[in-house]
Amino acid sequence: MPRHTPAPPAPKISDAEWTVMKVLWERGSSTLAEVVKDLEGRLHWKPRTVQSLIRRLTDKGALAVEAIGREFRYSPAVAQDQCQHEESVSFLDRVFNGRLTPFVAGMMEREEVSKDDLAALRQMLAEAEKKLKK
């Protein structure tokens, strides 16, 4: 039976780097100029700031880079869901001792929860219970 090797852990990404990664996860690949243009309506970052963030992400292995003529195209080298999962687990470990229940309970007490959110949570709980019974 072939063994499934787990993916290497995703690099630690700062808040500012998350902003850049979200653009690249959405676009697939981009040049520096395209990322700057995408962010210019939302943030007041100078192109040099975006360039520094892209360089850091490339150095960390979060972005792949391809030279096309005189331009460089950057694309995500790590999956968004993997980074989100690892960040979520890290947050739960640091803040809630790895426990999901106090986190969800606290959010539900202090934040508005829609009927759609409740329905989705019920569905997820039902699926999790089915898995436990197997």
Side-chain angles (χ1 to χ4, degrees), residues 61-129:
L63 292 178
V65 61
E66 178 184 10
I68 300 176
R70 295 179 60 171
E71 277 193 320
F72 294 100
R73 288 202 75 74
Y74 300 92
S75 57
V78 290
Q80 184 175 9
D81 64 340
Q82 179 188 4
C83 290
Q84 288 170 333
H85 174 76
E86 289 181 25
E87 187 69 26
S88 298
V89 169
S90 173
F91 173 77
L92 283 175
D93 285 345
R94 284 190 324 270
V95 180
F96 294 96
N97 295 323
R99 299 196 55 235
L100 183 59
T101 303
F103 169 72
V104 174
M107 290 299 291
M108 292 184 73
E109 286 174 10
R110 292 174 186 87
E111 300 295 325
E112 188 173 317
V113 182
S114 71
K115 286 184 179 184
D116 287 344
D117 285 338
L118 288 174
L121 286 168
R122 281 188 196 97
Q123 182 65 37
M124 285 185 256
L125 289 171
E127 294 294 323
E129 284 181 337

Side-chain angles (χ1 to χ4, degrees), residues 16-71:
E17 292 167 345
W18 270 96
T19 303
V20 172
M21 288 300 295
K22 286 177 188 176
V23 170
L24 287 154
W25 280 318
E26 185 177 301
R27 295 177 63 97
S29 74
S30 296
T31 63
L32 170 63
E34 291 168 339
V35 175
V36 168
K37 185 171 176 63
D38 195 288
L39 292 173
E40 90 187 341
R42 298 184 268 164
L43 300 168
H44 300 292
W45 287 351
K46 296 191 180 330
R48 264 273 194 247
T49 302
V50 179
Q51 182 180 26
S52 294
L53 292 167
I54 286 176
R55 185 178 56 251
R56 286 193 337 217
L57 287 162
T58 302
D59 290 346
K60 290 179 179 185
L63 292 178
V65 61
E66 178 184 10
I68 300 176
R70 295 179 60 171
E71 277 193 320

